[in-house]
Amino acid sequence: MTETDRAAMRYLLERDDSEEVTPGRIARALHLSPASGTALIDRLVARGLVVVHGHPNDRRKKLVRPLDGDLDLDHLDPLTVRLRSIAAKLTSGDARIVATFLEDVLASVTHATAPSH
């Protein structure tokens, strides 16, 4: 699974059962174009991880649900488990240093890739 696939599954599994999750909502949450969101949902359906069905009151809407709502996110996303394990070894001071470093890197990359006017 790609990171985007894992992020979509995390998003779905963290939602309350009463929430209506549409392909568009997933795409927006993951900052994807509608076409990329559709391709993502198609991959997850093909892997047997989600089902897509019509909205009971609005024929225009499609709803996305995990096939298994009890799916263990840690089993689905072992990379995140490993990263949490690494992070747990940091002291709070070290964690602040790493967080500041990563925020600075993100700001630098964002600034460097921002369109100039």
Side-chain angles (χ1 to χ4, degrees), residues 13-31:
L13 291 167
E14 291 170 351
R15 304 280 70 79
D16 182 286
D17 285 340
S18 66
E19 290 184 63
E20 293 181 350
V21 181
T22 63
R25 184 172 173 188
I26 294 169
R28 283 187 302 279
L30 301 180
H31 308 287

Side-chain angles (χ1 to χ4, degrees), residues 16 22 36 42 58 83 89 102 115:
D16 182 286
T22 63
S36 294
D42 289 347
D58 186 344
L83 294 175
K89 296 175 188 174
L102 292 174

Side-chain angles (χ1 to χ4, degrees), residues 3-98:
E3 175 54 32
T4 305
D5 295 350
R6 288 191 299 269
M9 289 305 299
R10 279 192 305 272
Y11 181 81
L12 280 167
L13 291 167
E14 291 170 351
R15 304 280 70 79
D16 182 286
D17 285 340
S18 66
E19 290 184 63
E20 293 181 350
V21 181
T22 63
R25 184 172 173 188
I26 294 169
R28 283 187 302 279
L30 301 180
H31 308 287
L32 301 173
S33 70
S36 294
T38 298
L40 166 67
I41 299 302
D42 289 347
R43 284 194 309 272
L44 297 177
V45 167
R47 292 188 65 140
L49 294 170
V50 302
V51 292
V52 179
H53 54 87
H55 189 281
N57 303 320
D58 186 344
R59 293 184 332 185
R60 297 168 296 170
K61 279 187 182 178
K62 299 284 187 207
L63 299 177
V64 182
R65 295 268 184 236
L67 192 62
D68 179 2
D70 294 326
L71 188 64
D72 180 6
L73 272 174
D74 290 344
H75 176 73
L76 180 67
D77 189 4
L79 176 59
T80 299
V81 174
R82 288 193 301 272
L83 294 175
R84 281 190 205 123
S85 174
I86 292 167
K89 296 175 188 174
L90 295 173
T91 66
S92 61
D94 288 345
R96 279 192 299 277
I97 291 168
V98 170

